[in-house]
Amino acid sequence: MTDDSSPKTDILETTREMLHRAEQEIIAGESMLDQINRELYKKNVELKKANDELKQLDAMKDQLIAVASHELRTPASEVKNYLWMVLNKDAAKEGIGDLEKGHLQKAFQANERLIKLVNNILDVSRIQGGKVQADLKAVDLLKAAKQVVEETAPLWQQRDLKVEVMESATPLPPVLADQEKVLEVFTNLISNAIKFSEKQGVVISFEDLGEEVVTHIEDHGQGIEEEEIPHLFQRFYRADHSLSSSNEQTGGTGLGLYISKSYVELMGGRVWVTSKRSKGSIFSFSLPVLEKA
Amino acid sequence: MKRILLIEDEADFQELYREILSPSFEVDVAHDGEEGLAKITGGEYALVLLDVMLPKIDGLALLKEARKTEKGKRAKVALLTNYRSEEIWKQFRELGVADILVKSDLLPDQFLQRVEKAQGSELERL
């Protein structure tokens, strides 16, 4: 027979109690873990839902910008065409005074800026949404530059400036790029250079570095303050050109340089600027040379 | 006089392009996609100017349908739109459009030049 109150039995009893408590604690812990897990799962579902909603909102925003820009371009196209007709056809027939012609010309230019702004907003939205792709083919940079210089003739002729394209002694190799995007980059950089140039005009030159071709677009304006340079390629940034005598005509969208940089980088190149106050600025971009077969 | 079919639902644009084109071309207008499809597959035109967003049948569906017919296969078509979307333009290019004319980019004389060029161009084999 054993004595129930023996120390051995006490130890056993205490151990049993401890085990029981531990078991209870484990059960409570497990139940707590279950609850945490359930909450985590709920949070996860909520996060997924919020993420889906954000994605949906983003798609809606893209669609809204696409539709709004289409709808805004519609009346702007009509204004553009009718103003051109008045300025170029009706004025010759009916005779319009210089004052009226000047006013119409200003309205035409303001409308052109509106169209450019709408196009740029759409481009920025597409760049940010990662929806821009480059259709890479052989591109002749010299030809592209000359085309844009010709297209921008009304801008530089009106300001009595010259835009010179320097041809190198040896022919430039074609670069691997997207023709449309190269034209857009040239249009942005050349238009900017024209806007900020005074008297001496704009010079476009090329450098063949073997694996890449660098294009330089040099203006002879007031230059850019050093502290402004890092911000130039940011969206909606506009440098302070209050010293420029052409200030009235510098109204841009503040998006052209951001778009140009994004396009050049998408095509595997770089964009940079060097500037000296009172001397002018040189905007440069590189593009990779098309590999020889 | 050569005939041009303008498939365009907006009255203002119909009037504008009729005014620009009429000294050089006879302009026939279709006001929606359904009418446009019937006219492409039923008539002979030097060029079809096709908008993207149209009532009843949109421009892309219209051109796909038209290309299934004998006349529609031979039709010279230029896109005339304010829709700037590379993805959509690509789909139209695959259906053999002669040019893509963006309304807000072109002045009347530039528009007329591009139309002259497109109607004289060789139709790309599909």
Side-chain angles (χ1 to χ4, degrees):
Chain A
M1 269 189 83
T2 54
D3 181 0
D4 275 355
S5 60
S6 73
K8 207 173 172 186
T9 313
D10 283 351
I11 291 169
L12 264 174
E13 195 51 44
T14 315
T15 312
R16 214 176 274 137
E17 265 172 37
M18 275 167 73
L19 272 173
H20 180 70
R21 272 205 301 274
E23 207 176 356
Q24 291 299 315
E25 274 168 23
I26 286 171
I27 289 168
E30 271 176 355
S31 151
M32 226 158 92
L33 265 177
D34 267 358
Q35 190 154 353
I36 290 170
N37 262 342
R38 271 198 302 275
E39 271 166 27
L40 275 175
Y41 179 78
K42 216 171 117 190
K43 285 263 179 264
N44 202 20
V45 169
E46 279 169 14
L47 274 174
K48 199 176 170 298
K49 202 176 147 209
N51 195 28
D52 287 348
E53 276 171 6
L54 276 175
K55 275 188 191 162
Q56 219 173 339
L57 275 174
D58 197 44
M60 270 166 72
K61 180 208 77 186
D62 285 351
Q63 207 180 355
L64 181 74
I65 290 176
V67 171
S69 56
H70 175 267
E71 294 306 319
L72 282 169
R73 267 196 300 267
T74 296
S77 318
E78 289 175 47
V79 172
K80 175 186 181 119
N81 279 275
Y82 284 119
L83 280 178
W84 187 90
M85 282 188 209
V86 175
L87 279 164
N88 294 278
K89 303 262 165 129
D90 307 349
K93 267 190 256 165
E94 308 293 334
I96 292 181
D98 284 347
L99 182 70
E100 290 80 1
K101 218 172 167 180
H103 289 165
L104 288 169
Q105 197 71 50
K106 280 187 178 159
F108 181 83
Q109 281 162 359
N111 189 59
E112 287 295 284
R113 284 206 299 277
L114 174 69
I115 293 172
K116 181 82 186 160
L117 177 62
V118 171
N119 290 345
N120 281 354
I121 288 173
L122 184 65
D123 287 343
V124 168
S125 148
R126 291 171 52 79
I127 289 168
Q128 294 208 301
K131 292 194 179 101
V132 180
Q133 288 175 345
D135 182 15
L136 299 176
K137 284 176 188 155
V139 173
D140 181 339
L141 282 174
L142 185 66
K143 209 171 146 190
K146 283 182 175 173
Q147 183 184 327
V148 174
V149 170
E150 209 183 300
E151 284 168 3
T152 51
L155 269 183
W156 48 269
Q157 282 170 352
Q158 188 189 31
R159 301 206 44 231
D160 213 14
L161 294 170
K162 271 192 180 160
V163 179
E164 203 179 343
V165 182
M166 309 288 284
E167 291 192 37
S168 29
T170 49
L172 274 183
V175 290
L176 183 65
D178 182 315
Q179 175 81 18
E180 291 301 315
K181 290 184 177 60
V182 168
L183 291 174
E184 177 75 27
V185 171
F186 269 123
T187 305
N188 284 330
L189 297 183
I190 293 174
S191 306
N192 254 4
I194 294 167
K195 274 186 225 164
F196 298 119
S197 264
E198 292 164 9
K199 290 175 193 164
Q200 282 168 292
V202 176
V203 178
I204 301 159
S205 58
F206 304 93
E207 250 185 296
D208 177 2
L209 300 181
E211 295 205 342
E212 57 180 18
V213 174
V214 177
T215 305
H216 303 288
I217 294 155
E218 185 177 1
D219 69 52
H220 295 91
Q222 286 293 322
I224 306 156
E225 295 291 354
E226 209 173 311
E227 59 266 27
E228 285 191 310
I229 290 179
H231 306 289
L232 282 180
F233 296 97
Q234 288 170 0
R235 278 179 304 151
F236 297 111
Y237 186 79
R238 204 180 287 167
D240 176 19
H241 287 274
S242 52
L243 295 174
S244 166
S245 63
S246 59
N247 193 39
E248 259 183 56
Q249 312 193 26
T250 55
T253 63
L255 294 170
L257 288 178
Y258 170 79
I259 293 170
S260 299
K261 182 175 184 275
S262 306
Y263 283 176
V264 168
E265 287 174 356
L266 183 74
M267 296 184 282
R270 292 167 295 122
V271 182
W272 66 97
V273 60
T274 47
S275 186
K276 272 191 189 156
R277 204 64 181 155
S278 307
K279 298 270 181 199
S281 311
I282 306 173
F283 282 82
S284 309
F285 66 92
S286 65
L287 284 171
V289 165
L290 176 79
E291 275 177 44
K292 288 165 190 104
Chain B
M1 203 179 239
K2 285 181 177 171
R3 289 172 82 209
I4 281 191
L5 173 62
L6 173 65
I7 310 178
E8 168 66 64
D9 61 319
E10 294 207 32
D12 289 350
F13 277 131
Q14 291 167 7
E15 202 182 317
L16 171 69
Y17 292 123
R18 200 190 273 280
E19 190 176 340
I20 300 171
L21 292 166
S22 57
S24 318
F25 299 95
E26 187 187 322
V27 184
D28 192 5
V29 176
H31 304 79
D32 59 52
E34 212 170 77
E35 192 186 349
L37 182 61
K39 286 194 168 176
I40 292 185
T41 51
E44 291 287 346
Y45 297 95
L47 183 69
V48 177
L49 292 170
L50 174 65
D51 197 1
V52 178
M53 292 184 9
L54 289 166
K56 295 186 183 172
I57 305 174
D58 69 66
L60 191 64
L62 182 159
L63 192 55
K64 275 184 190 162
E65 277 309 301
R67 291 301 195 211
K68 289 178 191 165
T69 68
E70 273 313 303
K71 271 197 177 158
K73 251 182 222 165
R74 294 197 309 268
K76 270 183 213 166
V77 179
L79 204 62
L80 179 59
T81 182
N82 255 332
Y83 218 90
R84 296 177 80 96
S85 159
E86 287 166 39
E87 294 88 359
I88 290 180
W89 290 357
K90 195 175 164 217
Q91 294 180 59
F92 276 98
R93 281 200 190 97
E94 282 164 5
L95 289 166
V97 292
D99 200 355
I100 293 173
L101 310 174
V102 179
K103 291 169 183 171
S104 62
D105 286 356
L106 298 169
L107 290 168
D109 58 341
Q110 295 166 331
F111 168 73
L112 201 57
Q113 271 174 18
R114 298 270 287 267
V115 167
E116 290 276 7
K117 201 175 160 200
Q119 63 90 28
S121 65
E122 285 291 313
L123 183 64
E124 229 175 89
R125 293 223 170 268
L126 294 173

